[in-house]
Amino acid sequence: MKVQESRDLAMLSELIDELPLAVKCFIEHKLDHDRSPSSLLEYTRDFRLFFSWIGPNLWPYVTAENELTLDMFNDITREHVQQFSDYLTQTRNLQYSSLVRKIHSIRSLFAYLHMRFEFNETPILKRNVFATFTLERPKSHMEVARHLQNKVLRVHEIPEFVKFVQEGVIEQNNIQAQWFHNQNRARDVSIVTLLLESGIMVSDIVNLDLADISLQDGYVIVTRQQASVRTTHQVLFGDNAKTYLYDYLKIRTGTYAPQTGERALFLAKPNGETQGKRISKRTIQAMVKKYALKFGASEVTARQLTHSFGVQYTATNTVRNMKQQLAQRNMDSLEKYLILSSLID
């Protein structure tokens, strides 16, 4: 199991007792069938959002989610589902793709509870109110590409952004923030350039161990899992990433003081702690967002850095090379880069 999955499994184990028993059974069933803990953690967040919204409306006397019983779920109607969908789009201002994902998560829970039979062969849940509530798949590849068009870095912006991360952040009125930047900028710029010059994702960055990187040959080893299939890929990175990674590795031990035997490539030292630990996904996402805001590119996220690489790489490489470099198993995930590359040119 990858490091990020192990972390998500630990968090899932903490949250599961706060869920209704029926939901807990669903999560445990999916874990037994090799569903990724990271995916199930996202499902759990969706479930909790739904119950926190519908609970006060239907069961105001219930004080905790784990007090909800399966029989109570039969009180939920299709009208409630529509109202929840409206709440997500109007009050929480969710994008359509996020709305579809959340509805799909909850639908899978109710489908499981409805199809599961007791000894008397009666469905545990009388009806699946989500079954007839369908949402179209969000956007064609062209729509996805147009959505990303103003969120990726252009060719001329990439070196400017990298330079900004390395030396352009000046916190004149915040001594502590400036000290924090000075301490972490060798790590930060190496992460940013690795995202921009390899196409790997944030979870890949988190999972990287020292043994997974070859500076001499310019590649990292990443492991991906789709459904129950786990694959390992050798992903190349550029010369700038190689330079910044070399600089980071020179200061890694002295700056972060990891425990002996710490395998993680990228480390973070939380406030008040003396020893560095494997960096988290949230830390990387917050770091990239901080630099992007100061750089004047508020739409850019860690994911958009990966997209930025995909666009530039697509312009000069074959589809076969794209699949190998981006560690993708099918063409669908690559098509948006082909379209986006033509839109930006």
Side-chain angles (χ1 to χ4, degrees):
M1 183 177 290
K2 296 186 291 185
V3 175
Q4 188 63 51
E5 288 179 335
S6 297
R7 287 181 170 181
D8 290 342
L9 180 60
M11 187 173 295
L12 187 63
S13 299
E14 292 179 7
L15 292 176
I16 201 168
D17 288 331
E18 300 175 16
L19 300 170
L21 179 60
V23 181
K24 182 178 179 180
C25 290
F26 169 80
I27 296 293
E28 291 175 342
H29 170 78
K30 292 296 184 182
L31 283 173
D32 289 342
H33 287 76
D34 295 324
R35 179 60 64 89
S36 163
S38 301
S39 298
L40 290 174
L41 182 60
E42 289 302 317
Y43 273 35
T44 298
R45 290 170 176 148
D46 296 339
F47 300 156
R48 300 197 71 181
L49 177 61
F50 176 65
F51 289 126
S52 68
W53 172 83
I54 201 169
N57 294 305
L58 279 183
W59 315 293
Y61 50 88
V62 176
T63 58
E65 290 176 19
N66 57 10
E67 295 176 10
L68 297 174
T69 65
L70 188 57
D71 188 56
M72 290 179 177
F73 293 177
N74 288 309
D75 298 336
I76 301 172
T77 66
R78 194 180 185 285
E79 287 70 28
H80 292 128
V81 178
Q82 181 62 63
Q83 291 168 13
F84 178 64
S85 176
D86 294 340
Y87 161 75
L88 293 178
T89 53
Q90 297 171 12
T91 305
R92 296 184 68 90
N93 198 29
L94 280 189
Q95 293 184 356
Y96 188 73
S97 58
S98 299
L99 169 65
V100 171
R101 189 190 61 76
K102 290 184 183 300
I103 295 297
H104 175 78
S105 300
I106 303 168
R107 182 190 291 128
S108 66
L109 168 65
F110 278 72
Y112 166 79
L113 296 176
H114 180 64
M115 294 300 294
R116 188 178 170 203
F117 286 77
E118 293 179 321
F119 293 117
N120 61 2
E121 298 185 352
T122 301
I124 293 179
L125 197 65
K126 293 178 181 178
R127 61 189 179 278
N128 177 8
V129 294
F130 282 84
T132 58
F133 189 84
T134 58
L135 293 170
E136 295 180 3
R137 273 292 167 188
K139 306 176 183 177
S140 65
H141 294 302
M142 175 60 78
E143 290 174 305
V144 171
R146 291 192 182 281
H147 178 69
L148 292 174
Q149 186 174 356
N150 296 317
K151 296 185 177 184
V152 297
L153 294 175
R154 272 34 177 194
V155 174
H156 70 277
E157 292 176 317
I158 290 176
E160 294 173 4
F161 184 66
V162 171
K163 183 178 181 181
F164 180 78
V165 173
Q166 184 190 31
E167 57 185 38
V169 176
I170 300 176
E171 302 281 0
Q172 294 178 339
N173 300 319
N174 192 327
I175 296 176
Q176 184 177 6
Q178 185 64 56
W179 177 88
F180 189 78
H181 167 69
N182 291 339
Q183 173 183 262
N184 293 302
R185 63 180 173 181
R187 178 202 67 189
D188 295 351
V189 75
S190 62
I191 290 175
V192 165
T193 51
L194 192 54
L195 288 169
L196 284 167
E197 294 190 1
S198 71
I200 62 176
M201 300 183 294
V202 173
S203 58
D204 298 324
I205 297 281
V206 173
N207 291 323
L208 285 176
D209 289 337
L210 290 168
D212 294 328
I213 183 171
S214 172
L215 281 180
Q216 180 177 349
D217 297 318
Y219 69 81
V220 290
I221 301 295
V222 300
T223 302
R224 298 275 175 83
Q225 179 162 337
Q226 291 180 313
S228 59
V229 179
R230 187 179 294 267
T231 55
T232 300
H233 306 268
Q234 181 176 296
V235 179
L236 301 175
F237 53 78
D239 290 338
N240 288 325
K242 183 183 295 187
T243 298
Y244 289 123
L245 282 165
Y246 178 76
D247 292 340
Y248 164 71
L249 287 171
K250 287 194 298 185
I251 61 93
R252 173 182 175 275
T253 300
T255 300
Y256 296 98
Q259 287 185 338
T260 303
E262 173 60 69
R263 300 178 302 162
L265 173 60
F266 290 110
L267 304 172
K269 188 188 293 184
N271 289 334
E273 297 193 18
T274 58
Q275 291 185 310
K277 300 176 181 178
R278 186 182 297 269
I279 198 168
S280 70
K281 186 176 180 179
R282 289 180 183 272
T283 297
I284 296 174
Q285 291 169 332
M287 176 267 288
V288 171
K289 196 63 180 175
K290 175 190 70 174
Y291 288 119
L293 287 170
K294 292 180 181 293
F295 183 70
S298 59
E299 295 285 351
V300 172
T301 64
R303 184 61 173 160
Q304 310 308 344
L305 297 186
T306 299
H307 290 325
S308 299
F309 170 83
V311 175
Q312 308 309 323
Y313 192 81
T314 299
T316 57
N317 286 272
T318 65
V319 171
R320 181 178 180 180
N321 288 343
M322 288 167 57
K323 288 182 67 175
Q324 181 174 342
Q325 178 67 30
L326 297 172
Q328 300 291 344
R329 295 173 59 196
N330 56 64
M331 183 61 191
D332 276 354
S333 55
L334 302 178
E335 191 167 345
K336 63 177 177 288
Y337 294 130
L338 294 168
I339 299 172
L340 191 52
S341 179
S342 65
L343 292 175
I344 291 176
D345 285 345

